[in-house]
Protein backbone atom coordinates (compact mmCIF):
# COMPACT_ATOMS: atom_id res chain seq x y z
CA UNK A 1 0.00 0.00 0.00
CA UNK A 2 1.14 3.52 -0.85
CA UNK A 3 0.42 5.74 2.13
CA UNK A 4 0.63 9.53 2.35
CA UNK A 5 0.53 11.02 5.82
CA UNK A 6 1.28 14.54 4.64
CA UNK A 7 2.69 15.76 1.34
CA UNK A 8 3.28 19.39 0.46
CA UNK A 9 4.17 20.32 -3.11
CA UNK A 10 4.46 24.09 -3.48
CA UNK A 11 0.99 25.28 -2.37
CA UNK A 12 -0.71 21.88 -2.72
CA UNK A 13 -1.15 19.69 0.36
CA UNK A 14 -2.25 16.05 0.30
CA UNK A 15 -3.14 14.61 3.71
CA UNK A 16 -4.06 11.10 4.87
CA UNK A 17 -4.27 9.34 1.53
CA UNK A 18 -4.00 5.56 1.12
CA UNK A 19 -3.70 3.72 -2.19
CA UNK A 20 -4.25 0.00 -1.48
CA UNK A 21 -2.83 -2.76 -3.67
CA UNK A 22 -5.06 -3.46 -6.66
CA UNK A 23 -6.76 -0.06 -6.66
CA UNK A 24 -6.71 2.83 -9.11
CA UNK A 25 -7.52 6.43 -8.20
CA UNK A 26 -8.10 9.14 -10.79
CA UNK A 27 -6.76 12.68 -10.39
CA UNK A 28 -9.13 15.29 -11.78
CA UNK A 29 -9.41 19.05 -12.02
CA UNK A 30 -9.11 21.91 -14.49
CA UNK A 31 -5.94 22.44 -16.51
CA UNK A 32 -3.15 24.04 -14.53
CA UNK A 33 -4.42 23.18 -11.02
CA UNK A 34 -1.51 20.88 -10.22
CA UNK A 35 -2.58 17.36 -11.20
CA UNK A 36 0.83 16.51 -12.66
CA UNK A 37 2.56 18.05 -9.64
CA UNK A 38 0.88 15.51 -7.37
CA UNK A 39 2.27 12.61 -9.41
CA UNK A 40 5.74 14.11 -9.71
CA UNK A 41 5.81 14.91 -6.01
CA UNK A 42 4.87 11.34 -5.09
CA UNK A 43 7.67 10.12 -7.35
CA UNK A 44 10.04 12.54 -5.60
CA UNK A 45 10.93 14.23 -8.88
CA UNK A 46 10.30 17.79 -7.66
CA UNK A 47 10.84 19.55 -4.31
CA UNK A 48 8.32 18.42 -1.72
CA UNK A 49 7.92 17.89 2.01
CA UNK A 50 6.11 15.16 3.85
CA UNK A 51 5.88 11.50 4.68
CA UNK A 52 5.17 8.92 1.98
CA UNK A 53 5.62 5.18 2.41
CA UNK A 54 5.20 1.98 0.42
CA UNK A 55 4.29 -1.24 2.23
CA UNK A 56 5.36 0.32 5.52
CA UNK A 57 8.76 1.49 4.26
CA UNK A 58 9.33 5.23 4.24
CA UNK A 59 10.37 6.91 1.00
CA UNK A 60 13.08 8.70 2.99
CA UNK A 61 14.79 5.34 3.66
CA UNK A 62 15.29 4.65 -0.05
CA UNK A 63 17.39 6.20 -2.79
CA UNK A 64 15.53 8.17 -5.45
CA UNK A 65 16.18 5.58 -8.21
CA UNK A 66 15.12 2.69 -5.97
CA UNK A 67 11.90 4.49 -5.01
CA UNK A 68 11.07 5.33 -8.61
CA UNK A 69 11.57 1.72 -9.73
CA UNK A 70 8.74 0.81 -7.36
CA UNK A 71 6.67 4.00 -7.64
CA UNK A 72 7.03 4.80 -11.32
CA UNK A 73 6.01 8.06 -12.97
CA UNK A 74 5.03 8.10 -16.64
CA UNK A 75 4.91 11.65 -17.99
CA UNK A 76 2.36 12.97 -20.47
CA UNK A 77 5.27 13.97 -22.72
CA UNK A 78 7.70 11.03 -22.93
CA UNK A 79 11.39 11.48 -22.27
CA UNK A 80 14.02 9.75 -24.40
CA UNK A 81 17.80 9.64 -23.98
CA UNK A 82 18.93 7.49 -26.95
CA UNK A 83 18.24 7.68 -30.67
CA UNK A 84 16.87 4.15 -31.16
CA UNK A 85 13.89 2.71 -29.29
CA UNK A 86 15.53 -0.56 -28.22
CA UNK A 87 18.25 1.28 -26.30
CA UNK A 88 15.63 2.31 -23.71
CA UNK A 89 14.78 -1.26 -22.69
CA UNK A 90 16.74 -3.74 -20.58
CA UNK A 91 14.26 -6.62 -21.01
CA UNK A 92 13.49 -6.50 -24.72
CA UNK A 93 11.69 -9.87 -24.80
CA UNK A 94 9.17 -8.71 -22.19
CA UNK A 95 8.84 -5.35 -23.93
CA UNK A 96 8.00 -7.07 -27.22
CA UNK A 97 5.29 -9.15 -25.53
CA UNK A 98 3.70 -5.98 -24.18
CA UNK A 99 4.07 -4.25 -27.55
CA UNK A 100 1.86 -6.90 -29.15
CA UNK A 101 -0.78 -6.28 -26.46
CA UNK A 102 -0.56 -2.56 -27.21
CA UNK A 103 -1.00 -3.07 -30.97
CA UNK A 104 2.59 -2.11 -31.80
CA UNK A 105 4.73 -3.97 -34.38
CA UNK A 106 7.72 -5.90 -33.04
CA UNK A 107 10.10 -4.08 -35.38
CA UNK A 108 9.25 -0.76 -33.71
CA UNK A 109 12.14 -1.40 -31.31
CA UNK A 110 14.59 -0.94 -34.19
CA UNK A 111 13.07 2.41 -35.10
CA UNK A 112 14.58 5.83 -34.43
CA UNK A 113 12.69 7.64 -31.69
CA UNK A 114 12.37 10.66 -33.99
CA UNK A 115 10.14 8.64 -36.35
CA UNK A 116 7.60 7.60 -33.70
CA UNK A 117 4.12 9.06 -33.60
CA UNK A 118 2.82 10.60 -30.39
CA UNK A 119 0.63 7.56 -29.77
CA UNK A 120 3.52 5.13 -30.33
CA UNK A 121 5.70 7.08 -27.91
CA UNK A 122 2.94 7.08 -25.32
CA UNK A 123 2.52 3.31 -25.46
CA UNK A 124 6.26 2.65 -25.46
CA UNK A 125 6.93 4.69 -22.32
CA UNK A 126 4.14 2.82 -20.57
CA UNK A 127 5.76 -0.46 -21.68
CA UNK A 128 9.09 0.87 -20.40
CA UNK A 129 7.47 1.41 -17.00
CA UNK A 130 5.73 -1.97 -16.87
CA UNK A 131 8.88 -3.88 -17.79
CA UNK A 132 10.53 -2.83 -14.52
CA UNK A 133 7.67 -4.39 -12.50
CA UNK A 134 6.61 -1.38 -10.41
CA UNK A 135 4.29 -1.63 -7.42
CA UNK A 136 2.63 1.72 -8.19
CA UNK A 137 2.12 3.49 -11.51
CA UNK A 138 1.73 7.27 -11.59
CA UNK A 139 0.31 7.98 -15.04
CA UNK A 140 -0.15 11.44 -16.53
CA UNK A 141 -2.82 11.32 -19.26
CA UNK A 142 -1.76 7.81 -20.36
CA UNK A 143 -4.06 7.58 -23.39
CA UNK A 144 -4.46 11.20 -24.49
CA UNK A 145 -2.76 10.58 -27.86
CA UNK A 146 -4.45 7.25 -28.63
CA UNK A 147 -7.44 6.26 -30.73
CA UNK A 148 -10.35 4.31 -29.29
CA UNK A 149 -8.94 0.86 -30.11
CA UNK A 150 -5.49 1.56 -28.67
CA UNK A 151 -7.02 3.19 -25.58
CA UNK A 152 -9.10 0.06 -24.96
CA UNK A 153 -6.02 -2.15 -25.22
CA UNK A 154 -4.04 0.04 -22.81
CA UNK A 155 -6.92 0.09 -20.32
CA UNK A 156 -7.18 -3.71 -20.56
CA UNK A 157 -3.47 -4.07 -19.71
CA UNK A 158 -3.76 -1.59 -16.83
CA UNK A 159 -6.64 -3.65 -15.41
CA UNK A 160 -4.39 -6.71 -15.59
CA UNK A 161 -1.73 -4.77 -13.67
CA UNK A 162 -4.30 -3.92 -10.99
CA UNK A 163 -5.60 -7.49 -10.80
CA UNK A 164 -2.02 -8.66 -10.20
CA UNK A 165 -1.83 -6.40 -7.13
CA UNK A 166 -0.36 -3.23 -8.59
CA UNK A 167 -1.92 0.14 -7.82
CA UNK A 168 -2.29 3.26 -9.87
CA UNK A 169 -2.84 7.00 -9.59
CA UNK A 170 -3.64 8.54 -12.96
CA UNK A 171 -4.47 11.95 -14.37
CA UNK A 172 -7.28 12.02 -16.90
CA UNK A 173 -9.73 14.52 -18.36
CA UNK A 174 -11.88 11.61 -19.58
CA UNK A 175 -14.41 10.88 -16.84
CA UNK A 176 -15.52 7.78 -18.75
CA UNK A 177 -11.99 6.42 -18.42
CA UNK A 178 -11.87 7.44 -14.76
CA UNK A 179 -15.02 5.42 -14.07
CA UNK A 180 -13.78 2.41 -16.07
CA UNK A 181 -10.57 2.17 -14.05
CA UNK A 182 -11.24 3.77 -10.66
CA UNK A 183 -13.85 4.04 -7.92
CA UNK A 184 -12.71 7.35 -6.49
CA UNK A 185 -10.90 10.51 -7.50
CA UNK A 186 -8.62 13.10 -6.01
CA UNK A 187 -10.18 16.33 -7.26
CA UNK A 188 -8.07 19.49 -7.17
CA UNK A 189 -9.74 22.89 -6.98
CA UNK A 190 -8.35 26.19 -5.66
CA UNK A 191 -5.27 24.50 -4.11
CA UNK A 192 -7.56 22.09 -2.25
CA UNK A 193 -7.44 18.32 -2.80
CA UNK A 194 -10.71 16.55 -2.10
CA UNK A 195 -11.30 12.80 -2.26
CA UNK A 196 -14.58 11.99 -4.01
CA UNK A 197 -16.35 8.82 -5.15
CA UNK A 198 -16.84 8.24 -8.88
Amino acid sequence: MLKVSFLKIFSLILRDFDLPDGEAVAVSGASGVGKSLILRGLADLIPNDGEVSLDGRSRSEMSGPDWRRLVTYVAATPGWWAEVVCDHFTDLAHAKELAREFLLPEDIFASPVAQLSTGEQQRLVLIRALVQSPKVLLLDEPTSGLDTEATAMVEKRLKTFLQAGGSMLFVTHDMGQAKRLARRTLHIHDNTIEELPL
Side-chain angles (χ1 to χ4, degrees):
M1 177 188 290
L2 182 73
K3 185 176 183 64
V4 179
S5 300
F6 174 88
L7 182 67
K8 183 178 181 184
I9 308 157
F10 303 115
S11 59
L12 284 172
I13 296 175
L14 178 60
R15 291 184 175 90
D16 299 325
F17 172 71
D18 292 345
L19 181 59
D21 296 351
E23 186 175 349
V25 174
V27 182
S28 62
S31 295
V33 297
K35 298 185 297 296
S36 299
L37 290 179
I38 291 292
L39 302 190
R40 293 171 66 203
L42 286 168
D44 208 17
L45 288 166
I46 56 175
N48 66 91
D49 295 303
E51 183 55 40
V52 183
S53 62
L54 179 67
D55 297 334
R57 187 177 178 193
S58 174
R59 182 178 66 175
S60 61
E61 298 172 10
M62 304 171 68
S63 70
D66 285 346
W67 175 260
R68 286 185 282 275
R69 270 190 288 274
L70 295 171
V71 181
T72 302
Y73 172 67
V74 179
T77 303
W80 304 95
W81 55 86
E83 291 183 9
V84 181
V85 173
C86 63
D87 292 339
H88 297 87
F89 294 86
T90 52
D91 187 344
L92 205 53
H94 187 194
K96 287 179 178 180
E97 286 178 23
L98 290 169
R100 286 191 288 273
E101 286 187 48
F102 285 5
L103 307 178
L104 292 168
E106 189 171 304
D107 62 3
I108 198 168
F109 292 94
S111 302
V113 170
Q115 292 181 8
L116 299 175
S117 71
T118 301
E120 287 170 336
Q121 289 192 43
Q122 208 162 18
R123 281 172 282 177
L124 283 166
V125 291
L126 184 53
I127 290 169
R128 195 168 74 199
L130 288 167
V131 162
Q132 65 183 22
S133 300
K135 290 276 295 177
V136 181
L137 283 174
L138 306 171
L139 306 179
D140 198 347
E141 295 280 1
T143 59
S144 60
L146 304 184
D147 61 23
T148 303
E149 184 181 16
T151 294
M153 295 304 293
V154 168
E155 289 182 3
K156 180 180 178 183
R157 186 61 184 78
L158 292 176
K159 287 178 181 176
T160 300
F161 172 76
L162 295 170
Q163 289 162 1
S167 55
M168 188 168 74
L169 195 63
F170 65 104
V171 171
T172 183
H173 288 285
D174 180 350
M175 291 312 293
Q177 180 175 72
K179 290 177 180 178
R180 287 191 297 272
L181 294 173
R183 293 193 303 259
R184 57 188 171 124
T185 181
L186 289 178
H187 184 71
I188 306 174
H189 179 71
D190 290 338
N191 281 336
T192 300
I193 304 173
E194 184 179 12
E195 189 174 317
L196 299 170
L198 280 168

